[in-house]
Amino acid sequence: MLRSEVLLGPMTRGTLVRSWVAHWRARPDHEVLHDARDGWITGAQLDQRTGHVAAKLYRRGVGCGCRVLLSGANGIDLVVVHVALLRLGAVVVPVNGAYREREVTHIVRDCRPVMVIVDDDAAWSPWVASVDKRCGVLAVSEAAAVDGNADMTAEIDTASPDSPAMIGYTSGTTGAPKGAVLSHANLLASVAALAIAWHWTDDDRLVLCLPLFHMHGLGVGLHGTLFTGGSAVLLDGFDPDRVIDAAEQHDATLFFGVPTMYHRLVESPRVGELARLRLCVAGSAPLPPSVHDAFRAATGRTVLERYGMTETVMLVSNPYEGERRAGAVGFPLPGVEVRFSRESGVPVDIPTAAVDGMAGEILVRGPNVFSGYWERPASNVAAFTDGWFRTGDLATVASDGYITIVGRAKELIISGGFNVYPREVEEVLASHPAVADVAVVGTASSEWGEEVTAFVVVRPGHDAPDRDALREFCGEQLARFKLPRRVVVVGTLPRNALGKVVKHELRCPP
């Protein structure tokens, strides 16, 4: 078992890959990762195979500090390439395999990789070549294969803690993605804090179906598993039955998911079988309280919600021991400091914020926080205030210290001079029996400055509620200035790969 006091040291020194290799060499026969094609791979096999692949990629021109785009289906091949790149000291740029030409060329043009490694290499090759003909494109399976040519070895596991390890492009829910540069120390600090907070040890086994191009699946699920010396069952995509089967067949203890996954799990007649898990974590978007309650009723397990972002990995979490409060994200993780900035621009600490109950923008600092955006000096100046990163997320703090996210600062609606936080309105609207999904934004108004506008997806079998009906329904729980002045019925809401609504794509009809 790994103890908290042992983990506190690595939060500010060392690198992820050296901690991983130490585990593999200490327990060479320990089964670390499983996928449907290859079965289990041990620590010794991971150590040897990632070393061989690192040497092969080095021969093909990938060196320390080189940027490499990486995207593929969840599986051992993808992990082997990811780890090999980090062992080389290269900078991994994880990207969504569903990206199309416009999105791919933006990232290639922005970070100038020496190589792109992707499942769909045939489709991506002309896109990459249109920006940089010198950049090679490999299939993940080809990159992960051990070719037996071991006559040239690469220098591995020598990157310093401050060396860049990843460039994580923001999800782009409010505009063009920017690349957040994360060091080895940043990534190590975050998983070390999670190991303490979630009592995550080498005895744990995670069912991991979150995509490995996103911080939730990669920076938390995979990196945390390898750091603690635990194990993970890799699933390529989410299906309730596959998750439940994997948990049973492999005696899993952990599951990490996004709200959409939990919604589908509570609809499964087999959800009660997940009672075998010791910890279920939700993140990347707010978990509706109704789903939170339904999962607990069916499994006896209370989902633990946490809060993180590309630039910080994880920074806040509900407690492992104690109340896991629905709708709240909990307290700062070990080693993380949080403050709040108000309209006055004067930062306040958590006790002060809890006393006045006002919302403020979350400011954070700690060893987990990134150094800045890739080649974005103007953005970096705006992103930091006296060494504190401005998250852009608005939150309130309860008198007992629980933090609750209420929305993005850029999404704050100011209507008639009053502040309206979209999430608060969305939660009330979502409880209407005819509303299957909803997003609230502010739209320009000559009278009000901005008016509260709700984009509503109607639940099958129900008639679309009109504006007056929804205002009346919300009026029992919200002040009048928060009530939607405009309601737009849509078939679906635009969402990114992790389920976040891409609000800048919502358009009102003329």
Side-chain angles (χ1 to χ4, degrees):
M1 295 282 184
L2 296 172
R3 299 181 58 182
S4 298
E5 54 265 35
V6 176
L7 291 168
L8 284 168
M11 291 181 70
T12 54
R13 65 176 184 271
T15 68
L16 267 179
V17 287
R18 287 203 285 273
S19 74
W20 299 345
V21 171
H23 277 301
W24 300 337
R25 294 177 179 174
R27 302 173 67 196
D29 296 327
H30 176 60
E31 295 176 332
V32 181
L33 298 172
H34 180 281
D35 71 14
R37 190 192 72 179
D38 294 333
W40 284 102
I41 185 170
T42 66
Q45 290 170 324
L46 269 171
D47 187 9
Q48 183 180 46
R49 188 172 167 189
T50 56
H52 278 301
V53 171
K56 180 172 74 172
L57 294 175
Y58 180 76
R59 290 194 296 272
R60 297 197 179 200
V62 180
C64 185
C66 291
R67 294 164 300 283
V68 177
L69 265 65
L70 180 61
S71 178
N74 282 19
I76 289 172
D77 277 358
L78 183 68
V79 175
V80 164
V81 176
H82 175 71
V83 174
L85 290 168
L86 291 179
R87 295 189 75 176
L88 269 177
V91 183
V92 178
V93 185
V95 289
N96 188 341
Y99 279 173
R100 309 322 294 156
E101 181 176 6
R102 179 176 177 274
E103 297 152 317
V104 171
T105 55
H106 165 75
I107 294 176
V108 171
R109 187 175 292 110
D110 192 65
C111 73
R112 304 182 303 281
V114 299
M115 185 175 289
V116 172
I117 303 174
V118 61
D119 280 345
D120 196 2
D121 56 312
W124 284 42
S125 291
W127 302 343
V128 173
S130 71
V131 178
D132 185 352
K133 291 182 173 58
R134 298 169 299 174
C135 180
V137 181
L138 281 181
V140 171
S141 57
E142 180 183 355
V146 176
D147 60 14
N149 183 7
D151 59 341
M152 181 178 179
T153 59
E155 188 172 325
I156 58 175
D157 305 333
T158 60
S160 71
D162 293 332
S163 298
M166 283 174 49
I167 298 178
Y169 276 80
T170 58
S171 58
T173 56
T174 57
K178 301 188 295 289
V181 181
L182 291 151
S183 69
H184 285 267
N186 294 150
L187 298 173
L188 177 63
S190 188
V191 292
L194 292 176
I196 296 170
W198 296 349
H199 298 201
W200 196 349
T201 75
D202 54 6
D203 290 331
D204 279 309
R205 178 161 291 170
L206 171 67
V207 177
L208 182 55
C209 59
L210 291 162
L212 297 183
F213 59 76
H214 191 273
M215 196 57 71
H216 193 170
L218 182 64
V220 178
L222 178 65
H223 290 178
T225 291
L226 299 180
F227 171 76
T228 59
S231 56
V233 179
L234 303 174
L235 300 181
D236 181 21
F238 172 78
D239 175 81
D241 285 330
R242 291 182 66 204
V243 167
I244 295 167
D245 288 343
E248 180 178 357
Q249 293 168 10
H250 299 288
D251 198 23
T253 60
L254 306 174
F255 174 72
F256 301 164
V258 298
T260 303
M261 294 177 182
Y262 282 99
H263 181 80
R264 291 182 60 191
L265 284 169
V266 299
E267 291 181 337
S268 168
R270 299 181 58 196
V271 64
E273 297 176 43
L274 294 178
R276 67 184 307 115
L277 300 172
R278 76 164 182 87
L279 179 62
C280 298
V281 176
S284 298
L287 183 68
S290 60
V291 177
H292 190 283
D293 294 342
F295 190 84
R296 179 172 54 199
T299 65
R301 294 287 179 259
T302 303
V303 176
L304 184 151
E305 295 184 72
R306 86 302 176 276
Y307 162 59
M309 56 197 315
T310 304
E311 295 89 340
T312 66
V313 198
M314 293 298 107
L315 60 139
V316 173
S317 172
N318 267 270
Y320 181 79
E321 297 173 333
E323 181 189 1
R324 299 176 192 173
R325 187 170 299 174
V329 291
F331 308 92
L333 286 163
V336 179
E337 297 178 84
V338 170
R339 303 182 79 182
F340 298 85
S341 178
R342 299 289 171 64
E343 293 178 2
S344 64
V346 178
V348 297
D349 58 20
I350 286 178
T352 301
V355 169
D356 63 29
M358 295 173 58
E361 181 184 4
I362 296 175
L363 308 180
V364 59
R365 69 179 180 186
N368 58 307
V369 179
F370 79 137
S371 59
Y373 295 107
W374 172 256
E375 296 184 341
R376 294 286 200 286
S379 294
N380 292 334
V381 170
F384 290 88
T385 299
D386 297 329
W388 293 78
F389 173 57
R390 301 184 59 180
T391 66
D393 288 317
L394 298 172
T396 59
V397 185
S399 59
D400 53 4
Y402 281 81
I403 298 169
T404 298
I405 309 297
V406 296
R408 293 285 296 169
K410 291 182 179 179
E411 295 172 2
L412 174 67
I413 302 167
I414 303 177
S415 184
F418 292 99
N419 290 353
V420 180
Y421 300 103
R423 182 180 171 186
E424 181 182 19
V425 184
E426 288 165 353
E427 288 185 349
V428 175
L429 286 168
S431 66
H432 190 284
V435 175
D437 205 357
V438 62
V440 171
V441 301
T443 54
S445 167
S446 58
E447 181 179 1
W448 301 100
E450 288 183 295
E451 59 184 12
V452 180
T453 301
F455 289 81
V456 171
V457 178
V458 179
R459 192 177 300 280
H462 289 76
D463 293 329
D466 61 22
R467 189 199 77 143
D468 291 341
L470 288 177
R471 283 176 62 87
E472 182 179 355
F473 177 82
C474 295
E476 299 177 2
Q477 303 177 62
L478 298 173
R480 286 188 60 81
F481 69 86
K482 300 178 183 179
L483 303 182
R485 296 185 178 277
R486 190 170 187 181
V487 173
V488 181
V489 175
V490 295
T492 58
L493 297 177
R495 293 182 180 273
N496 66 15
L498 268 291
K500 294 181 182 179
V501 177
V502 186
K503 290 191 172 181
H504 71 269
E505 292 185 7
L506 294 170
R507 297 286 186 271
C508 289

